Amino acid sequence: QVQLVESGGGLVQPGGSLRLSCAASGRFFSIYAMDWYRQAPGKQRELVATATNGTTAYADSVKGRFTISRDNAKNTVYLQMNSLKPEDTAVYYCNCIISTMQSYWGQGTQVTVSS
């Protein structure tokens, strides 16, 4: 079983920045990938950024503004979000895939971009 604890969400003005964190704990040998998803009201959950064994990828909507990074020693993934826009408002979820390819989700953290 893997537990994911997210933090860092909140209210920010357009153009501002936030940094999300997600720490994994529990019984696992290693982590294959850690990703960030988001879900806005009335919309489907979408992949924002992924970090897989040194490789990163981003949704087109966040390229150049968001940066995903992992601290493997701490089993933690971060999402640095800059130049935030109102359309970035959503609940952000951390997803972790361990070496057995089992997937786990965090509880979600609200990000609101508004003046």
Side-chain angles (χ1 to χ4, degrees):
Q1 190 71 12
V2 176
Q3 295 80 41
L4 300 175
V5 178
E6 301 162 358
S7 60
L11 173 64
V12 64
Q13 292 186 341
S17 298
L18 282 175
R19 188 192 195 207
L20 306 182
S21 300
C22 173
S25 62
R27 298 173 66 88
F28 54 88
F29 178 70
S30 63
I31 294 174
Y32 172 71
M34 295 189 83
D35 313 319
W36 286 99
Y37 287 74
R38 68 185 180 187
Q39 188 166 19
K43 294 188 176 181
Q44 289 189 331
R45 190 172 297 188
E46 64 172 351
L47 178 63
V48 174
T50 181
T52 307
N53 292 338
T55 301
T56 59
Y58 300 89
D60 287 342
S61 59
V62 306
K63 279 181 182 176
R65 300 188 297 121
F66 291 10
T67 302
I68 188 171
S69 60
R70 280 174 61 176
D71 184 335
N72 292 327
K74 296 181 179 180
N75 293 321
T76 299
V77 64
Y78 306 95
L79 185 67
Q80 178 66 44
M81 305 185 294
N82 299 329
S83 302
L84 282 162
K85 304 175 181 180
E87 51 263 44
D88 294 318
T89 296
V91 178
Y92 284 70
Y93 296 91
C94 173
N95 177 261
C96 174
I97 303 174
I98 62 174
S99 54
T100 59
M101 295 298 121
Q102 290 174 285
S103 177
Y104 298 88
W105 291 92
Q107 79 283 1
T109 185
Q110 177 70 46
V111 172
T112 303
V113 185
S114 175
S115 55

